[in-house]
Amino acid sequence: MAAAPTTTASSRLLLRPRAAAATSPTHHHIRRHATPSLLPLRHRAVRAAPVRAWPDSVTPFNFGDDDDGGDDHPREECGVFGVVGDPEASSLCYLGLQKLQHRGEEGAGICAAGDDGELKSVTGLGLVGDVFRDKARLESLPGQAAIGHVRYSTSGPEGPNLKNVQPFLAGYRFGQLAVAHNGNLVNYKPLRNKLETQGSIFNNSSDTEVILHLIATSLSRPLLARICDACERLAGAYSLLFLTADKLFAVRDPFGFRPLVMGRRPNGAVVFSSETCALDLIDAVYEREVAPGEVIVVDRRDMSVSSACLVPHRPRKSCVFEHIYFALPNSIVFGHAVHERRTAYGRALAEESPAPTADVVIPVPDSGFYAALGFAQASGLEFQQGLIRSHYTGRSFIQPTQAIRDLAVKLKLAPVRGVIEGKSVVVVDDSIVRGTTSSKIVRLLRDAGAREVHMRISSPPVVGRCHYGIDTPSEKELISNKMDIEGVRKMIGCDSLGFLSIDKLHSIYGEEANELCDACFTRNYPVPLPEPVPELVSSFED
């Protein structure tokens, strides 16, 4: 049963969570106002603490154990959605977040600007439907403008943390400001350390809070200038929505790592979303992307829309994994229909790594579907749904023996014996990260009577860790970083294994290949990572 909400005056991986999280109820937090947390502490003495690695709060890595029976795909951390100019803004935001649920399943929140100029926020742990199960929570968010957020939790001994659930709502000398962020700031730690030495006090471990502090301490005027001033100091990936009493701001980093699109409803309301599928749900017509390095301002008083250049132009570097795995197939991302990109990957994979002895092609649901379809079309092979994914099993907490762990896998993926038995099967997946899921799938297919199992992957081998908003494990855990393709094949136990090469992937995009971020395949990072810095701690106790 969900915990009762509290009111304050301050500011595609199935994992086995830690034991504490297993019994925790869904938590909710209603914020009506956030008082300024930027309190100057004069004569603050500091000393350097030992250098630590980049904290998991920046880019969380919580892949569970190898025996969790789950999915070892990378996972997206966040999705954002915003509406301005509609009296049902918070309800539309709720629907949009439901459609973006695949981008974050640990927490959700909505902040709305009421007609009285007051910003109110509701955040909670759990799925969107769980957070807003009580209709009173949505009813507590009136107004014609709202922004929302879905996220995955940061890792750490405390598990999911309500304080890190966005949108963040803060009060400062010019009023209230809310923010929702998709991405990851690679220079979060040095920025935070500098702000703390200047007296800033932080309420959580999210890199997003740094943005609020930078805006609040900026000497520029008006707010648009302060946002631009703050973003000039950021390095990394960010698609941002800001909400004030009378304006909504949409901002995208100059490299365009993460998607952000703009649409319009029949009544003239302007909508922003991480993916176009959420626009379709609420009958909003897709107009365009928010351009890399652009800030769009919508004034809800007269519904005027203006645009400004955020920072100097950078070479575009859009995350290719949005097309490979993260985005829903019915979305348009970076100007391309996602299902068409995935079908093209499958066709190219069939040309590059055919399986001449195969009888049937099956996908690993759900993200492997269109790549498998393209592979079958190019190969002239039969396409079948040979694996059925259950979306209702929840997470497997008790798996005491290997035999029980293997049975738990079948709860999530069930083979269709009539499609598989006695046949040479090509099974198409979008990626291999650690290899644990792939080995279990191969074992499932063999147990169902497959004569041969040929694994085909519609992306290159993942050898690098993402620092721009994707949850990937450390490089020492990436199977393709530890062994060659033959070694991976032996480990997962298939008869043959083929990846889409990086050159073939680039050929699909043509001249646009230079506009892709493919650092997870090449280790060519568009934004260099700063060196770890000493953490500043107080030399005295309050």
Side-chain angles (χ1 to χ4, degrees):
M1 182 175 179
T6 58
T7 303
T8 75
S10 62
S11 41
R12 205 131 267 170
L13 237 43
L14 297 174
L15 305 173
R16 184 174 63 230
R18 305 178 190 278
T23 57
S24 298
T26 301
H27 300 286
H28 303 279
H29 187 192
I30 299 180
R31 288 177 287 191
R32 298 192 178 276
H33 183 67
T35 55
S37 59
L38 302 168
L39 304 178
L41 302 179
R42 297 187 178 182
H43 310 296
R44 184 182 184 185
V46 296
R47 57 183 173 84
V51 174
R52 300 191 304 181
W54 290 102
D56 284 345
S57 61
V58 179
T59 301
F61 304 97
N62 185 16
F63 270 70
D65 301 326
D66 284 349
D67 294 328
D68 64 1
D71 184 357
D72 73 340
H73 289 89
R75 70 184 185 192
E76 179 61 87
E77 290 181 49
C78 302
V80 298
F81 193 85
V83 182
V84 58
D86 196 294
E88 301 293 331
S90 59
S91 295
L92 293 172
C93 208
Y94 166 79
L95 293 173
L97 294 181
Q98 287 269 28
K99 198 64 176 179
L100 298 176
Q101 187 73 85
H102 60 285
R103 301 185 71 91
E105 299 179 354
E106 298 289 354
I110 296 174
C111 181
D115 294 336
D116 59 357
E118 183 182 9
L119 270 60
K120 299 177 183 178
S121 176
V122 175
T123 60
L125 297 176
L127 301 177
V128 177
D130 296 329
V131 174
F132 294 96
R133 187 180 304 277
D134 184 351
K135 66 177 183 179
R137 294 188 175 115
L138 271 182
E139 293 172 351
S140 71
L141 300 172
Q144 297 197 28
I147 61 173
H149 190 269
V150 289
R151 76 182 303 272
Y152 277 108
S153 69
T154 58
S155 62
E158 77 282 357
N161 189 342
L162 181 59
K163 289 184 178 180
N164 289 329
V165 180
Q166 300 178 33
F168 292 154
L169 174 59
Y172 71 129
R173 64 187 185 278
F174 296 113
Q176 289 178 287
L177 179 65
V179 62
H181 172 208
N182 175 26
N184 184 64
L185 306 179
V186 300
N187 64 337
Y188 154 75
K189 197 62 179 179
L191 285 176
R192 175 164 177 159
N193 281 353
K194 183 175 182 179
L195 287 164
E196 287 180 327
T197 62
Q198 295 171 348
S200 295
I201 296 176
F202 285 78
N203 296 315
N204 56 61
S205 59
S206 170
D207 58 342
T208 308
E209 193 177 9
V210 164
I211 303 172
L212 288 174
H213 283 266
L214 291 175
I215 292 172
T217 56
S218 171
L219 300 178
S220 301
R221 297 284 298 271
L223 178 58
L224 174 60
R226 290 195 295 275
I227 290 175
C228 292
D229 183 43
C231 289
E232 285 179 354
R233 301 173 63 183
L234 304 179
Y238 52 90
S239 288
L240 300 162
L241 295 180
F242 294 98
L243 183 65
T244 68
D246 50 29
K247 291 184 177 70
L248 190 152
F249 300 78
V251 182
R252 196 164 169 216
D253 71 76
F255 291 93
F257 284 110
R258 308 257 68 85
L260 187 61
V261 297
M262 174 181 170
R264 199 178 297 266
R265 299 196 75 225
N267 64 356
V270 178
V271 185
F272 296 95
S273 176
S274 293
E275 294 184 34
T276 60
C277 61
L279 302 183
D280 299 336
L281 177 66
I282 64 168
D283 297 327
V285 177
Y286 168 69
E287 290 192 352
R288 67 179 182 92
E289 285 188 303
V290 177
E294 181 184 21
V295 54
I296 297 178
V297 186
V298 184
D299 192 321
R300 75 180 182 94
R301 294 168 295 187
D302 58 7
M303 291 306 295
S304 60
V305 179
S306 58
S307 173
C309 179
L310 185 67
V311 293
H313 176 72
R314 301 282 191 276
R316 183 172 179 139
K317 291 295 178 182
S318 302
C319 174
V320 71
F321 241 104
E322 291 283 351
H323 286 158
I324 291 171
Y325 174 67
F326 295 126
L328 288 184
N330 58 328
S331 284
I332 297 173
V333 175
F334 308 137
H336 294 282
V338 173
H339 77 280
E340 292 180 353
R341 293 285 95 175
R342 292 179 185 170
T343 304
Y345 301 154
R347 293 195 186 103
L349 185 60
E351 296 173 6
E352 201 169 44
S353 300
T357 64
D359 302 311
V360 64
V361 179
I362 67 171
V364 175
D366 296 311
S367 56
F369 181 90
Y370 283 98
L373 183 61
F375 191 100
Q377 291 172 347
S379 304
L381 294 172
E382 180 184 11
F383 174 83
Q384 287 281 357
Q385 193 79 11
L387 291 169
I388 306 300
R389 180 183 294 276
S390 172
H391 297 276
Y392 307 104
T393 57
R395 295 174 175 177
S396 302
F397 296 100
I398 302 174
Q399 301 170 353
T401 67
Q402 183 62 49
I404 296 300
R405 286 193 289 267
D406 290 343
L407 292 176
V409 174
K410 295 180 181 180
L411 285 173
K412 300 179 177 73
L413 282 177
V416 182
R417 184 173 289 271
V419 171
I420 296 165
E421 191 169 20
K423 295 181 180 178
S424 175
V425 179
V426 175
V427 56
V428 180
D429 203 356
D430 58 83
S431 60
I432 295 180
V433 179
R434 293 180 305 167
T436 53
T437 296
S438 299
S439 63
K440 293 167 185 174
I441 289 173
V442 171
R443 191 161 61 245
L444 275 178
L445 296 175
R446 294 201 187 281
D447 291 344
R451 188 178 76 253
E452 295 176 338
V453 179
H454 304 281
M455 181 73 74
R456 295 295 181 267
I457 307 301
S458 61
S459 66
V462 177
V463 296
R465 177 177 173 180
C466 177
H467 298 276
Y468 309 126
I470 297 174
D471 182 356
T472 50
S474 63
E475 290 191 0
K476 67 181 181 181
E477 297 177 82
L478 300 173
I479 188 171
S480 293
N481 192 50
K482 298 186 292 183
M483 56 186 72
D484 60 14
I485 293 178
E486 177 60 16
V488 176
R489 184 198 69 77
K490 290 179 179 178
M491 199 285 287
I492 66 178
C494 57
D495 293 284
S496 71
L497 172 64
F499 290 84
L500 186 66
S501 70
I502 190 67
D503 290 338
K504 198 69 171 178
L505 177 66
H506 287 170
S507 71
I508 294 172
Y509 287 86
E511 294 181 357
E512 293 182 26
N514 292 328
E515 298 178 354
L516 299 175
C517 177
D518 53 16
C520 51
F521 307 133
T522 64
R523 298 194 188 92
N524 295 327
Y525 293 100
V527 178
L529 306 177
E531 293 295 325
V533 296
E535 181 181 5
L536 298 177
V537 296
S538 175
S539 63
F540 60 90
E541 293 183 1
D542 289 338

